[in-house]
Amino acid sequence: MASAYKSLSAKPKSNGQTRDAKSDTEKPKNRQRVLILSSRGVTFRHRHLLSDLHSLLPHSRKDAKLDTKTKLTQLNELADLYNCNNILFFEARKGKDLYLWLSKPPNGPTVKLHCQNVHTMEELNFTGNCLKGSRPVLSFDAAFDGAPHLRVLRELLTQCFGVPQGSRGVKPFVDHVVGFTVADGKVWIRCYQIAETEAGKVVRNADSPAEIVEAASAHRGETSVSLIEIGPRLVLTPIVILEGSFGGPVIYENKEFVSPNQIRSDLRRKKAGKYNRRAEGILDRKVKKRDLGLRTGEGTREVDELDDRVLFA
């Protein structure tokens, strides 16, 4: 029995040698899978955003819409069913507001963010392009090290957007950059293609063809690297961080965040206040005219000696 276990534990290599399964030299595999789905009520732009993220993340799985918006703990069971350890859940409210839930099931944490300024790949006709299935380079702003909640958010974004090397369908290329920048309390996400072009071989203001050939040979092999935007674009505002996966105590809350419902309500109240002041002004003018007897059949009007009713009586 021991010999059979030893023969099974020793796996042969491609060159005929054997290796021990408990070798300490082997690196632990980064097994990250992301479940991407949305709730009911998303718009066409939100659907295109989900498709763009699914195409940029080859280790992700796209699922159907979730019917409920209150029992979000069902997403933990759904992630366990599909063998995913990261969740990107887009929640739509009133057909216009979009919220993003970043979660690490089954133990958490969970971050709720408000999505604004969403622009998809096809919307702005970005000129950049990258190989489908390639791995990105994640670029984080130095401001992520300044606050504890930003460090937690950076770790969740790293595990969601960082494509593992050994994932299924991943190409062995790194040809685009995903940038995360913190500005005005929000996280700005941009995607760029890494474009490499050879240095120019034609030198202007040259007196002879020999100088052109000499200059071209001097710059041979040199390449210039530039970034071309691919898309999509979106801005995330952190709202709250929960200790568990879609539940648990609140470990961070953004006190400066104002709900879009509150903003729309304030705008409606402001417009209603203008109408109310205008209506009150009209009513005051009517009362004043009535008191002066300037309205026909309303109010009392004093009769003096020059009145028509006295002169032509």
Side-chain angles (χ1 to χ4, degrees):
M1 185 67 182
S3 60
Y5 175 78
K6 185 177 181 180
S7 62
L8 290 175
S9 61
K11 298 180 180 180
K13 290 185 178 180
S14 59
N15 56 2
Q17 300 178 1
T18 59
R19 63 180 180 181
D20 189 3
K22 298 181 180 180
S23 178
D24 297 335
T25 58
E26 296 181 359
K27 295 182 180 180
K29 293 184 179 180
N30 184 15
R31 301 182 182 274
Q32 300 291 337
R33 292 195 65 186
V34 183
L35 178 64
I36 301 178
L37 72 164
S38 65
S39 65
R40 296 286 180 182
V42 292
T43 62
F44 69 97
R45 181 174 295 177
H46 302 162
R47 290 195 301 268
H48 291 173
L49 177 62
L50 263 69
S51 300
D52 294 344
L53 292 178
H54 179 61
S55 61
L56 285 176
L57 304 177
H59 66 303
S60 63
R61 178 186 176 89
K62 188 177 179 181
D63 197 48
K65 298 177 182 178
L66 189 68
D67 291 331
T68 180
K69 293 182 181 179
T70 57
K71 301 178 181 180
L72 297 183
T73 54
Q74 297 179 1
L75 292 171
N76 297 326
E77 302 177 1
L78 196 62
D80 186 29
L81 179 64
Y82 292 126
N83 195 18
C84 297
N85 51 6
N86 297 283
I87 296 177
L88 282 175
F89 176 65
F90 290 89
E91 181 183 1
R93 293 285 183 180
K94 296 186 176 180
K96 57 183 73 174
D97 301 330
L98 184 65
Y99 296 91
L100 173 61
W101 293 80
L102 284 174
S103 179
K104 189 73 178 175
N107 299 322
T110 304
V111 181
K112 183 181 180 181
L113 307 108
H114 181 222
C115 294
Q116 293 175 302
N117 301 333
V118 176
H119 299 283
T120 59
M121 291 182 180
E122 298 179 356
E123 183 179 358
L124 298 179
N125 295 325
F126 294 113
T127 57
N129 192 10
C130 66
L131 180 66
K132 186 174 183 180
S134 61
R135 301 173 62 203
V137 176
L138 302 182
S139 175
F140 288 93
D141 190 8
F144 278 95
D145 297 329
H149 71 280
L150 291 179
R151 290 197 292 267
V152 174
L153 181 59
R154 180 184 61 184
E155 185 63 27
L156 287 175
L157 291 173
T158 301
Q159 297 189 18
C160 289
F161 288 86
V163 180
Q165 187 175 2
S167 295
R168 184 177 180 180
V170 175
K171 304 296 189 301
F173 301 102
V174 178
D175 59 353
H176 63 284
V177 179
V178 181
F180 303 92
T181 308
V182 177
D184 196 18
K186 300 177 176 59
V187 180
W188 303 65
I189 300 179
R190 298 290 185 268
C191 300
Y192 301 94
Q193 174 197 358
I194 303 175
E196 297 183 1
T197 56
E198 295 184 359
K201 297 183 179 180
V202 179
V203 180
R204 298 180 179 179
N205 301 327
D207 297 334
S208 63
E211 295 181 3
I212 299 177
V213 175
E214 183 179 358
S217 60
H219 295 282
R220 184 174 300 171
E222 297 182 1
T223 58
S224 61
V225 180
S226 61
L227 297 178
I228 305 174
E229 189 167 1
I230 302 173
R233 292 179 178 179
L234 66 155
V235 180
L236 303 177
T237 305
I239 302 175
V240 68
I241 299 179
L242 305 178
E243 185 177 355
S245 180
F246 297 101
V250 177
I251 59 178
Y252 170 77
E253 184 178 2
N254 188 3
K255 300 294 184 179
E256 299 179 356
F257 174 74
V258 181
S259 173
N261 286 331
Q262 184 66 32
I263 295 175
R264 288 191 292 265
S265 178
D266 294 341
L267 291 176
R268 287 194 297 267
R269 286 196 184 97
K270 188 176 180 180
K271 293 180 179 178
K274 291 181 180 179
Y275 172 77
N276 292 335
R277 287 191 295 271
R278 189 166 60 249
E280 290 175 359
I282 294 174
L283 182 60
D284 293 340
R285 287 193 295 271
K286 288 182 178 180
V287 172
K288 188 175 181 180
K289 289 182 179 179
R290 185 194 62 187
D291 295 340
L292 295 175
L294 300 178
R295 296 180 62 88
T296 305
E298 295 183 4
T300 58
R301 183 176 181 182
E302 297 180 358
V303 179
D304 55 359
E305 297 177 356
L306 299 178
D307 191 82
D308 295 340
R309 290 173 291 182
V310 175
L311 294 176
F312 301 100

